[in-house]
Amino acid sequence: MNRLVLIGNGFDLAHGLKTKYEHFIDWYWEEWGNRLMRMSDNSISDEFCSFKLNNIGISDWYLVRDWYYKKRGMEAKEFIQRVKLDAQLCDFEYKSTFFERINFDIETTGWVDIENVYYRFLTMVLENAIIPDLRDYEKLNFQLNVLKDYLIKYLKLEEKKKIIYLDKINEKIYRPVERREIAVGIPFGFSREDLNVDYVQLLNFNYTTTPELYLADNTTVNYIHGKLDKPQGVIFGYGDELDENYKRLKEQNDSECMRHVKSIRYLEHDNYRRMLEFIESGPFQTVIMGHSCGNSDRTLLNTIFEHPNCVSIKPYYHQIGDRKDNYSELTININRNFSDPKLMRDRVVCKDYCEPLIKKT
């Protein structure tokens, strides 16, 4: 029996890395606050935002800055959030509707999936929606590429933190498969010996190297979306070919609308092929560690979940406090990656036999 471990952002979070998109956007604003504190002209801007002083010179700006920053003890992020709302002091403007939407989602819901926002904007361009700064796919792709560069810069800084090896995660990666976890409709017969894990592939959807903490002789790490040390190979976009709008995008006479579709980007390297070779090599259990199984990876996950050799899908869920967890939300997302709901109900391991990735003590 082999095991394919799907490693998502929750895996890095369990190791103390701040790798949520919300963490990344917080860092972006903190960088903006630092730029304002060092500003030597009456205006600054980047690809997403612009800031211009109103009716005051730079010397007066220093007085304002010192009042906020030194006397009130504000951090850089709080500083930028405060001054950008002061219309008498400055004009602050979003130059990117795409980036503005990302921030709106965080402010209203507390979280964001940037790849989903990107796909929504792709379909808005497809529908000829009126978006002044995004009249074509090329402009949207330019903004996504700039955002990706910022994200890579942030994650490189975050990855410099000391990451601690966790015995409990190692045990979960290599423990034998339990017979009760195997789908009823699987045509294979398994002996007690067959339930030991022979080979493991850590299919890493993150860009960080955290999974390498758990390498063993029978284990490989597959960076399906690329690595930080090779930015040109980082895959950042959308991967839902089952969505009804995907066919319409594919039929457009404009290559830009398909530029960041993951299943096309997979062809640039052999990571996807190595994943296919692994699941074709024999029966395997899919284990989910920190991956939300959202729509942005739907095509790939459908290939794995409905593969004839997949005997089981075991999600390690996130524990939230003493009584709450995300098992239900996770299985709802898993269901969206199936075209056969009966198959889903057979292969997904029930909650009675699952547990949190990390138990809170």
Side-chain angles (χ1 to χ4, degrees), residues 31 39 43 70 138 147-148 161 164 169 185 187 285 291 321:
E31 291 293 292
M39 188 169 67
S43 65
K70 295 181 180 179
E138 187 174 3
L147 196 64
K148 180 178 74 172
K161 293 182 178 178
I164 301 174
I169 284 186
Q285 180 186 54
H291 197 297

Side-chain angles (χ1 to χ4, degrees), residues 21 115 156 270:
Y21 286 138
E115 292 177 316
K156 283 183 176 180
D270 70 345

Side-chain angles (χ1 to χ4, degrees), residues 19-26 28 48 98-99 101-103 105-106 111-122 140 143-148 150-152 154-155 207 236-238 260 262 296:
T19 52
K20 290 182 179 180
Y21 286 138
E22 303 91 90
H23 293 143
F24 159 56
I25 297 299
D26 279 349
Y28 170 86
F48 300 125
F98 169 56
F99 187 69
R101 181 67 204 197
I102 290 169
N103 282 271
D105 283 357
I106 293 174
W111 72 281
V112 68
D113 185 332
I114 291 176
E115 292 177 316
N116 273 322
V117 176
Y118 168 72
Y119 188 71
R120 292 209 306 268
F121 271 79
L122 269 182
L140 176 60
Q143 292 186 18
L144 184 73
N145 281 326
V146 172
L147 196 64
K148 180 178 74 172
Y150 279 123
L151 176 62
I152 290 171
Y154 169 70
L155 291 176
Y207 310 115
F236 188 57
Y238 205 77
H260 293 290
K262 291 179 179 177
S296 60

